[in-house]
Amino acid sequence: MLKNLISAAAMILLASSVSAQSDATLFTVKGNPVTAAEFKYIYSKTNQDKADFSEKSLREYLELYTNFKLKVQKARDMRLDTIASLNSELEGYKKQLAKSYLEDKEVTEKLIREAYDRMLTDVDVSHILVNCDRNRPATDTLRAFNRAKDWSKMIIKGASFDKMAQDSSEDKSAKENRGNLGFITAMLPDGYYEVEKAIYSAKVGDLLGPVRSNNGYHLLRVNATRPARGEIEVNQILIRKGDSDEKNALKKMRADSAYNELVAAGQWDAICQKYSEDKTTSAKSGYIGFFGINRYQKVFEDAAFNLQKDGDYSKPVETTLGWHIIQRKSHRPIATFDQLKRGLSERIKRDSRSETAKQAIINRIKKDGSFLEDKKVLAAWTARQADSVFHTFKWKPDPAKPQDVLFSYGQDKRYTVADFEEYCQRSGRDRMRGAGYPVVETINKLYKTWSDETAMSFEETQLERKYPEFKSLMREYEEGILLFEALKQNVWDRANNDTLGLQKYFDQELKMKYKWDERARVSIYTLKTDDPKVLAKVRALAAKKPAADVIKKFNKKGKPEVLTVMEKLYEKGRSKDLGELWKGGDMTVAKSDTTTKTASFYKIEQIVPPTPKALVEARGYAVADYQDFLEKKWIQDLRKEYPVVLDEAVLKTLVKQ
């Protein structure tokens, strides 16, 4: 036991030592501390696998990080952290970053896996519907529920489900299909999550319900299950139906003829073009692409999915449209979980089932935040609200701002009746939309929404305390914004706008840094004729005389211009027009254009030796160099302005080599 106590004490001392090391101040800028933990985090993040924690590496990065902190300190002293646009940008980033912390990842992961597992099975379902929109008053909702419950009891006692669906269901299609929806698969449309849960949890033959959806209450029966069909890719030959029995008989014979020719010759493309009456697809081998279940009529779908191999085709299948001969091109089963996970995640976020994950995290927030609620206060306040006023624009919050506490987080964060009244005023549209419903229902809906939103807002204020990585990211982003603005004002804008300073720096430091390589001064001759005789004369004279003399010779006063010459400088190795030519007097081969009836060639007049570039010719590079110069000078000034105090002992604790 003594050994265990000594060991435990040693562990506590070690933990305390590590904690003290992390919290220790590595250096200060103007008295503001930078801890060893912060420096270690940013050093590791920036250098990643090159973060060897050698003294040389740490000191090199310490120099960079100290300069960074000096600039940030200057930004704060310039009060850049009070600029509204920068604070708005920071707040936007905070909300975006907070989203990943304000979700229950475990519940979301379960919902994604649940949806995928269900997608692997198709379920044949029948239902009986009692219509009742979710926005109906509680009295209507209860009435619809009881009606569905009564029907359920009748079926349990022996009434026919199919006959009751046909006679009583408020789904209009039940008159024809006796309530049978056929095979369906997850994910069901938004608002049908409870229906989906029920049918995927049931056994074949089970009677389920009443189950709530956006449309009302459902009695459900699972008729069959099968492995999910996935998607199939097909071609078709379509023979459309006629407008009489006689014509349909001929159409059926035409479909049979097409099928018989396929069996005899097997030339799908030729027979498709010959017979198919679907003009949009016949020229493309009848291609209609991939489809899954419930896209087309059941007989068409079944015939397509019953084809066993790519290339197989069906006998003529009759639908309301006509007769189809279907050829299978390929079959695509349900993709793997990893392939579908991202898409399912996005769909679930847009689906009301995501409310499950949201409520899970709200419950956790309340538990972690020591949430206390006084429902009596809400009930007393609700009792004072008049239905005829609360649902109208006439309602106003109590000017006395009642401070009765509705709920609280811990000892410090309290939310009062006045806070809720303010929310009710802001949510005027939702409040007035409740007209016709009992006032208690409207208030309960508003209170639930406000309470949930408040929980999320409260949690946002706790993220930096609860999650060190969140705090670090927010610090990085805030300081990054400040640094950007400080550099913009002190370095970048100045380098671009300080014309005299740039010119002086260029003359003193850069005049010989940027040079032209050898350049060729080139005359570009263009003739407004492709007459080979004229071209030969121009080239002969250009070889002996300067361009001005050639122009004078061929462009006569009072006559249309025959020749133009443009002079241009080409740097060595940067002109495809000159090819390998690089000597004064060299001329390129002439090129004629029969379309425009012109001809052109190049003549190298002179090779210009390397010369320094003027500022206007090297401005982009010069501005970048001037920015570097200004930044270095700025850092020197900041080191004089702000004292930096380094704790060498703390730095040594970070060294691993």
Side-chain angles (χ1 to χ4, degrees):
M1 183 177 288
L2 181 60
K3 280 180 66 179
N4 289 340
L5 286 171
I6 293 171
S7 177
M11 290 298 291
I12 291 169
L13 286 171
L14 177 60
S16 300
S17 173
V18 171
S19 176
Q21 175 185 320
S22 298
D23 293 338
T25 298
L26 177 61
F27 68 92
T28 61
V29 175
K30 197 184 176 183
N32 294 314
V34 176
T35 65
E38 177 187 334
F39 178 75
K40 184 178 179 181
Y41 164 80
I42 202 70
Y43 168 80
S44 301
K45 182 177 179 180
T46 304
N47 293 283
Q48 296 191 19
D49 56 351
K50 294 181 180 178
D52 59 10
F53 286 89
S54 65
E55 184 169 354
K56 180 176 181 294
S57 173
L58 286 167
R59 287 192 182 277
E60 286 175 353
Y61 194 74
L62 178 62
E63 179 76 9
L64 296 174
Y65 200 56
T66 302
N67 291 342
F68 171 76
K69 287 291 188 178
L70 285 165
K71 296 169 191 172
V72 171
Q73 184 61 51
K74 184 63 176 178
R76 295 192 191 282
D77 286 353
M78 293 169 66
R79 297 182 58 78
L80 299 182
D81 53 354
T82 64
I83 296 176
S85 60
L86 299 187
N87 285 326
S88 177
E89 182 182 348
L90 182 64
E91 189 61 28
Y93 175 78
K94 183 176 182 179
K95 287 193 174 297
Q96 191 66 30
L97 181 61
K99 282 182 181 179
S100 61
Y101 291 85
L102 296 177
E103 65 178 34
D104 193 304
K105 292 183 174 64
E106 185 178 347
V107 175
T108 301
E109 188 72 24
K110 285 180 180 177
L111 288 170
I112 296 169
R113 173 56 73 175
E114 175 187 77
Y116 177 78
D117 289 345
R118 289 173 179 171
M119 288 172 65
L120 300 177
T121 304
D122 297 337
V123 184
D124 186 341
V125 179
S126 293
H127 84 137
I128 302 171
L129 172 67
V130 180
N131 279 326
C132 184
D133 186 270
R134 282 195 186 276
N135 292 321
R136 298 301 301 162
T139 50
D140 291 354
T141 302
L142 181 60
R143 191 180 301 114
F145 173 81
N146 287 334
R147 189 178 179 198
K149 193 70 177 173
D150 290 342
W151 289 353
S152 175
K153 291 175 182 176
M154 292 169 65
I155 294 169
I156 291 170
K157 288 180 179 179
S160 167
F161 186 103
D162 296 344
K163 186 72 167 64
M164 184 169 287
Q166 190 173 40
D167 293 343
S168 304
S169 178
E170 294 175 354
D171 177 353
K172 293 179 181 179
S173 68
K175 300 294 182 188
E176 301 293 331
N177 61 26
R178 297 165 68 86
N180 183 238
L181 301 172
F183 279 96
I184 59 179
T185 192
M187 294 171 47
L188 294 190
D190 190 20
Y192 284 80
Y193 181 51
E194 295 302 319
V195 172
E196 182 185 302
K197 279 202 298 186
I199 64 174
Y200 274 97
S201 302
K203 296 176 183 176
V204 173
D206 281 355
L207 174 66
L208 312 168
V211 179
R212 190 73 162 105
S213 77
N214 279 355
N215 284 348
Y217 286 97
H218 305 255
L219 298 179
L220 301 158
R221 185 185 68 199
V222 175
N223 303 314
T225 63
R226 69 185 180 200
R229 279 184 162 176
E231 292 184 313
I232 195 164
E233 183 184 27
V234 303
N235 297 324
Q236 73 159 347
I237 296 170
L238 169 64
I239 311 299
R240 296 183 185 277
K241 284 191 172 181
D243 54 8
S244 67
D245 291 343
E246 292 79 4
K247 287 182 180 180
N248 280 338
L250 293 173
K251 292 281 190 173
K252 177 66 169 67
M253 290 174 61
R254 179 176 170 83
D256 290 338
S257 297
Y259 177 75
N260 291 333
E261 283 193 35
L262 270 175
V263 173
Q267 297 178 346
W268 175 273
D269 289 354
I271 293 169
C272 180
Q273 287 192 19
K274 177 180 177 182
Y275 283 97
S276 183
E277 295 174 4
D278 182 357
K279 300 306 178 186
T280 59
T281 65
S282 60
K284 300 181 291 184
S285 301
Y287 182 71
I288 60 175
F290 280 97
F291 65 90
I293 66 173
N294 296 324
R295 173 82 174 274
Y296 298 116
Q297 291 179 37
K298 186 176 184 300
V299 288
F300 184 94
E301 178 190 313
D302 288 345
F305 278 99
N306 285 335
L307 298 171
Q308 297 300 304
K309 301 191 303 293
D310 296 350
D312 284 358
Y313 50 84
S314 69
K315 291 181 178 180
V317 177
E318 184 180 3
T319 69
T320 56
L321 190 62
W323 286 268
H324 310 256
I325 301 172
I326 307 164
Q327 182 190 48
R328 169 171 152 166
K329 280 182 65 68
S330 70
H331 177 256
R332 187 161 63 192
I334 301 297
T336 66
F337 177 73
D338 287 340
Q339 289 170 326
L340 294 180
K341 182 177 179 180
R342 185 173 180 179
L344 284 173
S345 176
E346 292 304 314
R347 286 180 65 184
I348 284 169
K349 286 177 183 177
R350 297 192 299 268
D351 191 274
S352 57
R353 72 185 67 196
S354 63
E355 187 67 20
T356 304
K358 181 181 176 183
Q359 288 304 315
I361 196 165
I362 287 171
N363 292 338
R364 180 178 63 75
I365 291 168
K366 289 180 176 180
K367 182 180 178 182
D368 294 348
S370 302
F371 176 81
L372 287 175
E373 184 177 31
D374 192 336
K375 293 185 177 180
K376 291 181 180 178
V377 173
L378 179 65
W381 182 83
T382 301
R384 295 195 297 271
Q385 307 309 311
D387 190 12
S388 57
V389 177
F390 187 78
H391 287 133
T392 71
F393 66 91
K394 296 177 182 178
W395 182 87
K396 295 286 187 278
D398 185 342
K401 296 188 179 298
Q403 295 303 300
D404 307 84
V405 177
L406 286 165
F407 56 81
S408 62
Y409 286 92
Q411 297 295 318
D412 302 323
K413 202 66 177 173
R414 299 180 180 183
Y415 297 88
T416 65
V417 168
D419 297 326
F420 181 49
E421 287 186 339
E422 183 184 332
Y423 176 79
C424 290
Q425 186 177 41
R426 291 200 312 270
S427 306
R429 182 177 296 179
D430 292 333
R431 177 169 48 79
M432 289 186 280
R433 195 178 285 157
Y437 297 86
V439 71
V440 66
E441 285 189 28
T442 305
I443 289 174
N444 285 340
K445 284 181 181 178
L446 289 168
Y447 180 77
K448 173 70 167 60
T449 304
W450 176 62
S451 176
D452 288 352
E453 288 179 5
T454 301
M456 291 297 195
S457 298
F458 171 76
E459 184 69 357
E460 275 192 46
T461 67
Q462 305 300 302
L463 293 178
E464 292 195 16
R465 179 184 62 81
K466 293 172 70 172
Y467 304 104
E469 67 275 17
F470 181 87
K471 182 178 180 180
S472 296
L473 287 169
M474 284 306 303
R475 184 192 65 242
E476 283 180 63
Y477 197 81
E478 180 194 15
E479 292 183 344
I481 290 175
L482 293 175
L483 174 65
F484 182 90
E485 188 63 25
L487 280 169
K488 181 177 180 296
Q489 293 188 23
N490 289 278
V491 177
W492 301 331
D493 288 352
R494 183 179 166 191
N496 278 296
N497 300 327
D498 183 9
T499 306
L500 293 177
L502 176 61
Q503 184 67 61
K504 181 180 178 182
Y505 180 73
F506 183 84
D507 292 342
Q508 292 177 351
E509 305 291 338
L510 306 177
K511 202 160 190 178
M512 301 306 293
K513 181 176 180 179
Y514 299 108
K515 293 183 178 181
W516 292 110
D517 198 350
E518 273 190 349
R519 288 179 293 171
R521 185 167 58 82
V522 177
S523 294
I524 304 171
Y525 285 78
T526 303
L527 282 78
K528 296 183 180 180
T529 175
D530 59 350
D531 186 331
K533 292 181 180 179
V534 176
L535 177 59
K537 289 178 181 179
V538 171
R539 285 177 64 82
L541 188 58
K544 302 174 185 177
K545 299 287 185 178
D549 292 350
V550 182
I551 291 173
K552 186 176 181 181
K553 172 72 176 175
F554 286 92
N555 288 345
K556 304 296 185 181
K557 286 184 179 180
K559 292 186 178 181
E561 189 178 61
V562 175
L563 178 67
T564 61
V565 181
M566 182 177 70
E567 191 172 281
K568 190 174 179 181
L569 283 168
Y570 287 90
E571 198 168 10
K572 191 173 185 179
R574 295 181 180 242
S575 171
K576 294 180 180 179
D577 297 326
L578 299 177
E580 298 297 321
L581 302 178
W582 199 255
K583 187 173 66 176
D586 284 351
M587 289 195 302
T588 64
V589 175
K591 294 180 181 179
S592 297
D593 188 331
T594 55
T595 304
T596 59
K597 294 187 178 298
T598 60
S600 62
F601 64 90
Y602 293 68
K603 179 191 174 185
I604 298 176
E605 301 288 0
Q606 177 189 9
I607 300 299
V608 181
T611 55
K613 290 184 178 181
L615 173 57
V616 69
E617 296 170 320
R619 181 176 173 81
Y621 297 106
V623 168
D625 286 338
Y626 191 41
Q627 286 176 348
D628 290 342
F629 166 75
L630 290 175
E631 186 171 359
K632 288 174 183 175
K633 186 176 183 305
W634 187 40
I635 291 170
Q636 291 172 359
D637 294 340
L638 291 176
R639 284 190 175 268
K640 293 175 184 175
E641 183 178 356
Y642 300 130
V644 176
V645 180
L646 171 66
D647 191 324
E648 286 284 347
V650 174
L651 178 62
K652 293 288 186 184
T653 65
L654 298 175
V655 177
K656 292 184 179 179
Q657 294 183 13

